């Protein structure tokens, strides 16, 4: 009986396990290496704050595309027992459940898949970390070694650590590295002014957490472009701009198409949020036919805006920020921080506003890292990542995000240019190969595709059950 090892037990790893189990037809030995006690949570869905919501509507986030109403029915049956009900008068399907509740759903579905497989499945959750791989054996932080026929990298998210934060500040109570660390946020109790690094969804999580704790001081958010997170509005997709011709083959053509449709939307008084759902339908197909140079251009000109328009906030979460802005307590700056160090007040930031030569200083009581996550495998300090790269099993993608992989099989491409028959990836590691690999929908697609690849190749079929 062959063994499949999934490294990482967050959403992508749990979804892969669910689909691999469902797609197998014989005896299966499946191990998930994940240090957390509960699978399916990762960083995003492990938060205990019930005001941290899934950034979309429940009707679109089920684990079973063949059964679109599955999550909604599950919520109607289980969510109240978990301490959540939709807002009064709002159907469950058009509500945004807490991420903790969604994590419980993923965990429940994994448990159900394991139980349904019965004796043909040997499932193991190892609470450990993978730190090395020699081509045949995975080494764990505990010193244990796992022989594996197929390894699935579901390594998840790695926090972005800004270089301008001094060690002294990082070790002080004036700096919060993790917005989901409830103990660290106790430092906000006496604060009057908080500096937020970043202006996206992680920054919004920080504001929601602080407001929930009773903070009523001022915020200054700083990011290079000053692009502030947007609220999600459910809008019908814009008429298909690609229906009457071939897909664009250059970054310039893509940008021209998008800009043309944006102008048309504005001229018609339409909501710009009708455009992202349409573009998303074609994004992967357009991306696949662009060469590396054209992809780099598209990332440079459209990447930040895509993250802004695609990864929008749930309406209730954004309402918190909207209230804070209405009270005059929120300032959003487009600037580059050049230094951040301890000060009498807590911390002092030196920053240069975009388009200006003169630097300015800003004294704050607390600094919260809301920059999000690092995707460049050349910069990651994780031992497994470093060893995979050093040994040539993984190649950091030239676009600076994730690894080289075959988009059809999700198998890694090694330094020798060969497609691996042993190493596969799902989730964030495929970001540069797939254009979009951060959302539930895309990561679920990875899991489904991988299960089919393994099944077609006979990699999950052992002796008859």
């Amino acid at each position: 009986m062959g063994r499949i090892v999934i490294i990482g037990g967050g959403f992508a790893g749990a979804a892969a396990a669910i689909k691999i189990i469902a797609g197998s037809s014989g005896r299966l030995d499946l191990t998930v290496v994940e240090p957390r006690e509960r699978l399916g949570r990762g960083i995003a869905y492990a938060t205990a704050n019930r005001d941290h919501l899934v950034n979309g509507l429940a009707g679109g986030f089920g684990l079973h595309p063949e059964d679109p109403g599955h999550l909604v029915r599950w919520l109607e049956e289980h969510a109240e027992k978990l301490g959540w009900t939709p807002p009064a008068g709002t159907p469950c399907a058009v509500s945004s459940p807490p991420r903790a509740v969604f994590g419980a759903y993923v965990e429940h579905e994994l448990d159900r898949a394991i139980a349904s497989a019965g004796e043909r499945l040997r499932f193991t959750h190892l609470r450990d970390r993978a730190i090395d791989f020699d081509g045949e054996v995975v080494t764990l932080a505990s010193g244990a070694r796992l022989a594996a026929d197929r390894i699935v990298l579901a390594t998840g998210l790695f926090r972005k650590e800004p270089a301008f934060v001094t060690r002294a500040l990082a070790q002080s109570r004036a700096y919060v590295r993790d917005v989901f660390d409830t103990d660290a946020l106790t430092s906000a109790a006496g604060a009057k002014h908080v500096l937020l690094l970043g202006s996206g969804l992680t920054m919004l999580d920080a504001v929601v957490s602080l407001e929930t704790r009773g903070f009523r001081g001022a915020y200054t958010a700083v990011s290079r472009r000053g692009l502030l997170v947007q609220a999600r509005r459910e809008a019908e997709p814009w008429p298909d701009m690609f229906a009457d011709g071939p897909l664009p083959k250059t970054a310039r053509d893509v940008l021209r198409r998008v800009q043309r449709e944006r102008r048309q939307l504005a001229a018609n008084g339409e909501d710009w949020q009708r455009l992202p759902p349409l573009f998303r339908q074609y994004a992967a197909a357009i991306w696949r036919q662009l060469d590396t140079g054209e992809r780099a251009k598209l990332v440079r000109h459209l990447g930040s805006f895509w993250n802004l328009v695609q990864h929008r906030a749930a309406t209730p979460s954004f309402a918190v920020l909207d209230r804070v802005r209405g009270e005059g307590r929120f300032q959003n700056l487009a600037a580059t921080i050049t230094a951040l160090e301890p000060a009498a007040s807590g911390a002092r930031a030196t920053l240069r506003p975009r388009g200006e030569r003169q630097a300015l200083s800003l004294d704050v009581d607390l600094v919260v890292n809301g920059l999000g996550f690092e995707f460049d495998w050349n910069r990651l300090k994780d031992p497994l990542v470093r060893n995979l790269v050093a040994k040539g099993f993984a190649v950091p993608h030239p676009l600076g995000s994730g690894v080289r992989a075959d988009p059809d099989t999700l198998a890694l491409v090694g330094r020798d240019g060969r497609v691996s028959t042993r190493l596969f990836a799902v989730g964030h590691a495929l970001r540069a190969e797939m254009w979009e690999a951060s959302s539930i929908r895309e990561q679920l697609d990875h899991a489904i595709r991988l299960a089919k690849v393994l099944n077609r190749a006979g990699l999950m079929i052992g002796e008859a059950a």
Side-chain angles (χ1 to χ4, degrees), residues 217-298:
Y219 300 93
T220 298
V222 177
S223 60
R224 286 191 306 126
R225 293 178 179 266
L227 298 174
L228 188 63
V229 61
Q230 298 289 303
R232 179 178 295 278
R233 296 186 295 275
E234 299 304 317
E236 287 295 320
W238 185 242
D240 195 339
M241 61 180 171
F242 300 116
D244 298 328
L247 295 177
K249 298 183 183 301
T250 66
R252 176 177 292 183
D253 194 9
V254 173
L255 294 169
R256 283 176 174 172
R257 299 269 195 107
V258 171
Q259 290 166 353
R260 183 186 68 195
E261 299 305 315
R262 280 293 306 270
R263 287 192 293 268
Q264 188 63 48
L265 280 161
N268 292 355
E270 296 278 0
D271 188 343
W272 64 265
Q273 295 206 23
R274 294 188 66 185
L275 190 55
L278 171 64
F279 187 74
R280 185 178 187 176
Q281 295 175 25
Y282 290 96
I286 292 172
W287 186 250
R288 287 195 66 165
Q289 66 181 15
L290 300 180
D291 62 28
T292 301
E294 292 298 323
R295 288 181 178 185
K297 292 177 186 176
L298 194 61

Side-chain angles (χ1 to χ4, degrees), residues 302-327:
L302 192 63
S304 296
F305 296 97
W306 171 259
N307 289 333
L308 178 74
V309 303
Q310 183 57 46
H311 302 291
R312 292 160 284 161
T315 301
S317 301
F318 190 80
V320 175
L321 179 60
D322 221 21
R323 171 178 59 78
V324 170
R325 294 170 71 191
E327 294 168 355

Side-chain angles (χ1 to χ4, degrees), residues 440-460:
I440 290 173
R441 185 183 303 177
E442 277 72 25
Q443 293 192 2
L444 179 59
D445 177 69
H446 298 168
I448 293 170
R449 191 184 314 184
L450 177 63
K452 290 178 179 178
V453 166
L454 296 180
N455 205 15
R456 280 199 305 267
L459 303 180
M460 298 192 302

Side-chain angles (χ1 to χ4, degrees), residues 94-263:
V94 292
S95 298
S96 297
R99 282 179 233 160
V101 173
F102 182 79
Y105 164 68
V106 177
E107 183 179 29
H108 179 273
E109 287 304 287
L110 177 57
D111 289 342
R112 189 167 70 93
I114 294 168
S116 297
E119 294 184 358
R120 73 175 182 83
L121 172 67
R122 183 165 67 192
F123 181 85
T124 307
H125 171 202
L126 286 180
R127 294 190 63 188
D128 210 328
R129 293 183 182 276
I131 61 171
D132 200 1
F133 175 65
D134 65 5
E136 294 184 358
V137 175
V138 177
T139 301
L140 307 182
S142 64
R145 289 164 59 82
L146 282 178
D149 298 292
R150 303 291 179 265
I151 297 97
V152 180
L153 300 177
T155 46
L157 294 164
F158 299 90
R159 298 193 185 282
K160 183 173 288 188
E161 301 293 348
F164 49 74
V165 175
T166 64
R167 177 176 296 184
L169 179 61
Q171 295 175 346
S172 77
R173 290 177 59 82
Y175 181 71
V176 177
R177 174 179 178 267
D178 180 359
V179 301
F180 303 120
D181 185 344
T182 54
D183 292 334
L185 288 174
T186 57
S187 303
K192 295 181 180 179
H193 190 179
V194 172
L195 173 62
L196 301 167
L197 307 181
S199 57
L201 287 170
T202 307
M203 177 279 297
L204 179 59
D205 283 337
V207 172
V208 169
S209 293
L210 289 167
E211 291 295 303
T212 301
R213 285 174 163 269
F215 178 76
R216 293 299 180 266
Y219 300 93
T220 298
V222 177
S223 60
R224 286 191 306 126
R225 293 178 179 266
L227 298 174
L228 188 63
V229 61
Q230 298 289 303
R232 179 178 295 278
R233 296 186 295 275
E234 299 304 317
E236 287 295 320
W238 185 242
D240 195 339
M241 61 180 171
F242 300 116
D244 298 328
L247 295 177
K249 298 183 183 301
T250 66
R252 176 177 292 183
D253 194 9
V254 173
L255 294 169
R256 283 176 174 172
R257 299 269 195 107
V258 171
Q259 290 166 353
R260 183 186 68 195
E261 299 305 315
R262 280 293 306 270
R263 287 192 293 268

